[in-house]
Amino acid sequence: MAPIPTPAAEPDDSPDAYVGLPADRAEQLARERGWSTVRALPPGAIITMEYLVGRLNFEVRDGSVVRSWKG
């Protein structure tokens, strides 16, 4: 049986640091800090609850990040 791979570590970064930033600047900063996937979502977007290591999610309203979370 093959060993279970160890997932890559997530960046040592707080999602709260992105709240209040313009969405484009927040995405650029997140990528610079090592997030492999960054997605911007409108308020109330329907998404799966699948957790993806290395993904940072932004809820964007009027061009600014109002909420940010991992996965």
Side-chain angles (χ1 to χ4, degrees), residues 17-37:
Y18 298 93
V19 175
L21 295 177
D24 56 346
R25 175 64 184 133
E27 181 176 350
Q28 177 186 16
L29 189 58
R31 292 189 188 283
E32 288 173 4
R33 292 181 177 173
W35 294 99
S36 58
T37 304

Side-chain angles (χ1 to χ4, degrees), residues 11 13-47 54-71:
D13 191 26
S14 172
D16 293 335
Y18 298 93
V19 175
L21 295 177
D24 56 346
R25 175 64 184 133
E27 181 176 350
Q28 177 186 16
L29 189 58
R31 292 189 188 283
E32 288 173 4
R33 292 181 177 173
W35 294 99
S36 58
T37 304
V38 179
R39 76 177 168 177
L41 304 161
I46 297 172
I47 59 173
R55 178 169 63 192
L56 190 62
N57 301 289
F58 296 142
E59 182 177 320
V60 178
R61 183 180 302 129
D62 299 325
S64 295
V65 177
V66 294
R67 180 176 169 232
S68 179
W69 68 99
K70 297 178 182 183

